[in-house]
Amino acid sequence: MTDSLKWVNQAIIDEVVPKKKGACEFRVPESHDDLIFTAKLAEQAERYDEMVLCMKKVVKLNPELNVEERNLLALAYKNVITTRRSAWRVVIAIEAREIEAFGTTAATPLIGMLRQQFEAELAAVCEDFFALLEQYLIPAAQGGEAQVFYLKLKGDYHRYYAEVIPSEAQKQAAKEAYERATQVANASLPATHPTRLGLVLNVSVFHYEILKQRETGFAMARTAYNEAAPELESLDPEAFREAAVTVQMLRDNLNMWSDDMQQQQQ
């Protein structure tokens, strides 16, 4: 059975790009090599829905992915959800600005309708990825790095879900996934490992922005930075490049959060 994407509004697609008799629809390849090739091609063409379909099939053929396959899968879903998170943020800002300036107007339900559409699409993306992670990827993960990678993704997508549809269930699910990932990372990966650094970066953001535990988030980021920064010079050039980017992001967050907390105390 062909996979479908629950966040795609087929009625809109049919209206904007009407199907012609004999038109060619996207057919997901059958073989592993063809799936990977088509996923990379879709990425270059910025057709991320097709990229997701290809990578979902790769996972179902064999959930023990190599590093390249893991990255392709994460990139596909990341691009699909990023556009919706960005759209939601724009609409929510407009909605708040309109209500503050004019109160409830004829435009209010229209803005709300579009916001709810984006929320429903984002929720569908997250639910789709949860199913893939929980049924295939996490159970099949071999080694600490793969386990941390998938548990981090699970935490990330529960965090995205909680951003737009706040619920204690989503926050708790993110917290549990991040805690499991942190336990594995601390036991199996060095402080400068890119996957471990990426994890602590996102966990600190989760505590600071979603749980509003600002001191906890700040302390996590500072500890990770202090552990990793002195070790960067001992890494080989490729490892240095990967780790340095995340270490710089930790530093940027620490500077921003420090200013933020000082302003709140004044």
Side-chain angles (χ1 to χ4, degrees):
M1 188 175 76
T2 303
D3 247 320
S4 61
L5 302 177
K6 296 178 182 178
W7 57 87
V8 173
N9 191 323
Q10 194 59 49
I12 293 177
I13 292 176
D14 290 344
E15 182 69 22
V16 176
V17 187
K19 293 178 181 176
K20 296 182 179 180
K21 187 176 181 180
C24 180
E25 295 184 9
F26 179 72
R27 292 184 176 86
V28 182
E30 294 296 328
S31 75
H32 172 272
D33 289 350
D34 287 349
L35 286 165
I36 296 299
F37 174 83
T38 306
K40 292 178 179 178
L41 186 62
E43 178 195 357
Q44 292 297 311
E46 298 184 0
R47 295 282 296 195
Y48 300 111
D49 284 354
E50 285 88 344
M51 188 179 181
V52 164
L53 286 172
C54 290
M55 293 313 301
K56 284 178 69 174
K57 192 163 184 178
V58 169
V59 169
K60 292 176 181 180
L61 287 175
N62 181 3
E64 293 185 23
L65 306 185
N66 61 33
V67 173
E68 180 188 41
E69 292 162 353
R70 289 202 315 251
N71 290 337
L72 285 171
L73 175 72
L75 182 63
Y77 274 96
K78 182 70 171 177
N79 279 287
V80 165
I81 205 164
T82 294
T83 56
R84 287 160 177 81
R85 291 176 73 203
S86 298
W88 179 83
R89 286 170 176 164
V90 169
V91 170
I92 203 77
I94 292 172
E95 185 177 41
R97 188 168 64 243
E98 289 289 315
I99 291 174
E100 182 180 359
F102 307 111
T104 301
T105 67
T108 304
L110 298 176
I111 299 171
M113 178 184 66
L114 197 58
R115 171 180 53 76
Q116 290 171 3
Q117 173 66 29
F118 295 154
E119 289 170 353
E121 290 181 8
L122 193 144
V125 175
C126 291
E127 294 288 353
D128 190 75
F129 204 14
F130 295 152
L132 210 61
L133 288 164
E134 293 164 5
Q135 295 175 24
Y136 296 93
L137 294 165
I138 294 173
Q142 300 294 316
E145 182 183 358
Q147 292 176 45
V148 173
F149 186 89
Y150 295 130
L151 287 167
K152 172 188 168 295
L153 284 175
K154 189 172 187 290
D156 289 344
Y157 280 74
H158 280 293
R159 173 166 60 91
Y160 301 153
Y161 208 140
E163 282 178 349
V164 301
I165 307 174
S167 78
E168 290 306 313
Q170 292 300 329
K171 292 178 184 179
Q172 185 61 29
K175 187 171 182 287
E176 290 175 0
Y178 281 145
E179 286 176 348
R180 288 175 60 195
T182 300
Q183 290 173 357
V184 178
N186 290 345
S188 61
L189 302 177
T192 54
H193 194 288
T195 302
R196 177 171 168 175
L197 284 169
L199 170 66
V200 74
L201 174 69
N202 288 11
V203 176
S204 63
V205 169
F206 170 66
H207 279 273
Y208 194 93
E209 295 184 354
I210 304 300
L211 298 184
K212 306 303 181 185
Q213 298 172 346
R214 291 187 166 88
E215 291 184 0
T216 300
F218 185 89
M220 285 181 172
R222 182 173 56 192
T223 298
Y225 177 83
N226 289 341
E227 289 178 349
E231 302 297 324
L232 289 179
E233 295 300 328
S234 65
L235 302 176
D236 63 66
E238 183 176 353
F240 175 86
R241 284 193 297 271
E242 288 189 68
V245 171
T246 309
V247 168
Q248 183 60 50
M249 293 173 72
L250 285 167
R251 183 180 179 85
D252 291 344
N253 282 353
L254 287 169
N255 291 336
M256 179 176 63
W257 293 345
S258 180
D259 293 342
D260 183 37
M261 289 190 291
Q262 287 177 5
Q263 289 175 5
Q264 290 181 2
Q265 292 172 358
Q266 292 174 354

